[in-house]
Amino acid sequence: MAKIVIEGGIPLKGSVKISGAKNSALPLMSASLLTAGKCILYNVPKLKDVDTMKDIMREMGVQFIEEDNLLIDSTYLRFKEAPYELVRQMRASILLLGPLLARHGRARIALPGGCAIGARPVNLHLSALSAMGAEINLDKGYIDAKANRLKGADIFFDIPTVTGTENVMMAATLAEGKTMIRNAAKEPEIVDLANMLRSMGAYIRGDGTDTIVIDGVKELYPAEHRIIPDRIEAGTFMIASAMTRGEVEIKDCRPEHLGALIEKLEKTGAEIMIGDENIFVKGPDRIRSVDIKTMPFPGFPTDLQAQFMSMMCIADGCSVIKETIFENRFIHVGELRRMGADIEVNGSQATVKGRKRLLAAPVVATDLRASASLILAGLVAEQGRTEVYEIHHLDRGYESLEKKFASLGAKIWRES
Ligand code: EPZ
C-alpha cells in the first residue's frame, strides 16, 4: 500500500509552479462534447480524475491525443452509459449530463453516490435540466435522460452549485432560446468554462456574477483553450509556506482568485507579496490564530478548509472554523488529533486550540483535501516520521505534490 513519508521541521524555501486547475479541466473536457471536432486544451494537470474522465469519454467514442496538451476529438461520439464503477470514482462525471443532452439528446449516467465529505445530491442539476425540457428518470441507480431539443428556461438555484451551474451553462449553449441562471456559482472555474464556450461560438454573459444569461445557438465549433491555474493547489502551498516559517514563491497562479485566503493569511502574521501571476509568502516565527468560515466564491473556499485547519493546530491561540458548504468535511480532525492536535468539533464548527507542536504519527487520508492537510501537518510534525496512507485520494487532485514539496526542501517521499 503506497504511503507518503515526511520528516518535519524544515522551513520550505524556493519557488513552485502551479498546475492547471482540476475543477476547470473536468468541465472543459466535458464541454468538448458539444461539438463534432477536435478541441485542444493546454495546461492540463496530470491527475487521476482527468484520467478517469478520459476513460469515461473514451467509452463514448471520444478520441484523445496527448502531448504537452490534450487534443479531444468528439467527432465519433456515440451513446454509451457512464458506468457506476467509473462514476463512483469521480462524481464530476455528472458534468457529462448537460453536454450529452445538448449534443445527443440522450444520456445515461450512474447517479453519483455520496462521498466522504457529504451526501452531495445532484437534485439541482436534474431539476434545472428538466425545466429545460429534459425527461429524466432514475433507473437502477442510473440517471436516464432524454431531450429532443432543450429549451431555454429561467433557472433559480437554491444553492449556488458549481457543477450545477456548469452543467446548465453547457446545456443552454445549444438549447432553443434564452436561459437565465439565477443564484449561479461565481467561481473562477465558471468564468474559465464560459470563456471556452464563447470561443466555441456560444453566447454567454454574466459569468462570474450570480446571474448568467445564455442565448442558445444551433451549433458550436471546436476551439483551443488554456486552463487557468489551480487556485486550491496555490492556496495549499501558500499555507505550507506560512506554517513552516518558509519563504516560497508560488508561480503561475492568479492572485485575484485567492483574495479570501490572502486576507486570512496576513492576519496570521505571514508576509505576502503579490505579483501579476505569482505570490510570495514568508511565514512568521509563530502563526497567530485566525477564525474562518467557508463560503461560495469569493468567500473562503471549502477546498482550503482542511489545509487551513492544519496550520491552526500550531497557531498561538484558539481559532473557530465554520464549514458551511459540506455537512461532513471535518474527517481530517480525527487524524490530526492522532498527531497531538487539540480540536473540538460541534456540528459544522471546529474549535482548534493551537499547540506548540504536532507529533509525527501514521495517519490515513480520507478524501482529497484531507490528504493535503495531513501532509501539511507532517511538514511541521516533530519526533520522527509522519506516514500518510490511502494517498490515492491525493493523486486525484494534486500533480506530484510530494515532489513539489521536496523541490522546496521538504524531507518527503513516496513509498510503495
Ligand atoms: C465543486 O463541487 C467542486 N468540484 C468541489 O471540489 C468544491 O468543494 C465544490 O464545488 C464547492 O466549491 C468540482 O468542481 C469538480 P456544489 P460540486 O454543487 O459542484 C449542495 C475538490 O476537492 N448541492 O457547489 O459538487 C452540495 O451537497 C472538490 O476539488 C445540492 O444540495 O459542489 C453542497 O452542500 C470537493 N444539490 C453544496 O450544494 C445539488 O444538486 C455545494 O455543492 C448540488 C449541490
Side-chain angles (χ1 to χ4, degrees):
M1 177 167 49
K3 64 186 175 187
I4 285 185
V5 183
I6 309 144
E7 284 181 12
I10 301 170
L12 298 180
K13 290 221 180 342
S15 66
V16 63
K17 182 183 175 312
I18 298 303
S19 303
K22 166 179 86 81
N23 291 347
S24 242
L26 298 174
L28 292 169
M29 289 170 75
S30 185
S32 65
L33 298 178
L34 289 164
T35 179
K38 298 182 177 70
C39 290
I40 300 182
L41 293 179
Y42 298 92
N43 198 30
V44 181
K46 291 177 180 48
L47 303 172
K48 179 86 181 60
D49 273 7
V50 170
D51 292 343
T52 304
M53 187 63 113
K54 281 193 283 190
D55 291 345
I56 297 173
M57 291 171 72
R58 253 191 218 100
E59 296 262 317
M60 299 174 174
V62 178
Q63 294 168 351
F64 293 92
I65 301 174
E66 189 155 11
E67 279 138 15
D68 59 346
N69 53 54
L70 180 64
L71 181 146
I72 307 172
D73 185 349
S74 303
T75 309
Y76 307 103
L77 180 68
R78 60 171 184 266
F79 171 70
K80 181 83 176 47
E81 74 181 30
Y84 183 54
E85 63 271 16
L86 287 176
V87 171
R88 185 170 56 83
Q89 293 170 41
M90 189 197 58
R91 310 173 27 72
S93 16
I94 190 72
L95 284 165
L96 295 165
L97 185 57
L100 287 173
L101 269 180
R103 167 91 183 275
H104 245 340
R106 184 91 176 77
R108 185 170 164 79
I109 299 176
L111 190 63
C115 70
I117 62 177
R120 303 192 64 188
V122 290
N123 59 309
L124 300 176
H125 299 239
L126 303 185
S127 52
L129 291 169
S130 305
M132 296 174 73
E135 192 193 317
I136 296 179
N137 297 301
L138 294 189
D139 163 38
K140 302 188 194 67
Y142 278 75
I143 298 166
D144 204 277
K146 294 188 186 72
N148 293 330
R149 189 173 182 210
L150 292 168
K151 289 182 183 46
D154 196 341
I155 307 290
F156 178 83
F157 277 134
D158 292 347
I159 300 169
T161 160
V162 174
T163 49
T165 300
E166 290 165 346
N167 237 336
V168 172
M169 204 162 72
M170 290 189 283
T173 56
L174 292 176
E176 195 175 335
K178 181 197 293 280
T179 298
M180 293 221 10
I181 308 174
R182 301 176 201 278
N183 198 25
K186 301 186 273 193
E187 273 67 8
E189 292 76 26
I190 304 277
V191 176
D192 201 30
L193 175 61
N195 285 333
M196 175 164 166
L197 291 170
R198 275 187 284 264
S199 62
M200 293 170 72
Y203 290 116
I204 302 177
R205 54 194 187 283
D207 44 290
T209 76
D210 58 13
T211 304
I212 304 177
V213 183
I214 305 105
D215 294 305
V217 294
K218 277 233 178 316
E219 194 177 359
L220 292 179
Y221 306 95
E224 304 193 5
H225 183 81
R226 181 175 180 78
I227 299 172
I228 56 171
D230 194 315
R231 61 195 168 97
I232 304 304
E233 185 193 17
T236 303
F237 280 103
M238 290 167 66
I239 292 169
S241 180
M243 67 192 278
T244 59
R245 300 192 189 96
E247 294 182 42
V248 174
E249 180 197 18
I250 289 100
K251 291 194 308 189
D252 289 4
C253 65
R254 301 278 284 275
E256 66 273 23
H257 293 167
L258 287 149
L261 175 63
I262 289 169
E263 194 254 344
K264 292 294 179 181
L265 272 185
E266 283 172 341
K267 290 204 169 101
T268 69
E271 278 173 58
I272 299 183
M273 274 158 276
I274 294 171
D276 292 340
E277 296 193 342
N278 66 330
I279 299 177
F280 181 80
V281 177
K282 184 174 186 312
D285 262 353
R286 181 85 195 273
I287 287 284
R288 289 198 296 268
S289 59
V290 172
D291 297 347
I292 60 166
K293 176 179 176 184
T294 65
M295 293 296 282
F297 192 86
F300 192 93
T302 176
D303 292 350
L304 284 173
Q305 177 258 107
Q307 299 91 315
F308 199 88
M309 183 184 284
S310 288
M311 179 168 62
M312 290 298 104
C313 291
I314 53 164
D316 179 11
C318 181
S319 83
V320 174
I321 294 177
K322 285 201 181 77
E323 173 56 58
T324 71
I325 307 293
F326 290 110
E327 68 270 26
N328 188 32
R329 205 168 197 176
F330 285 145
I331 318 157
H332 42 284
V333 168
E335 296 305 299
L336 290 170
R337 282 189 185 127
R338 290 175 45 72
M339 300 175 75
D342 182 349
I343 308 171
E344 284 295 311
V345 172
N346 185 353
S348 63
Q349 180 172 303
T351 304
V352 185
K353 285 198 185 71
R355 319 265 316 248
K356 278 217 178 325
R357 61 182 58 79
L358 290 177
L359 303 176
V363 287
V364 174
T366 49
D367 64 271
L368 168 55
R369 306 306 174 179
S371 331
S373 78
L374 296 174
I375 287 180
L376 294 183
L379 290 174
V380 299
E382 298 175 10
Q383 296 177 21
R385 292 176 171 182
T386 295
E387 297 181 332
V388 183
Y389 290 88
E390 301 297 328
I391 49 169
H392 60 279
H393 292 291
L394 188 77
D395 297 334
R396 289 191 46 200
Y398 285 97
E399 188 178 332
S400 318
L401 188 63
E402 80 279 4
K403 289 193 184 115
K404 291 189 176 183
F405 276 128
S407 74
L408 294 171
K411 271 205 185 134
I412 180 172
W413 63 92
R414 184 180 292 238
E415 279 181 15
S416 53

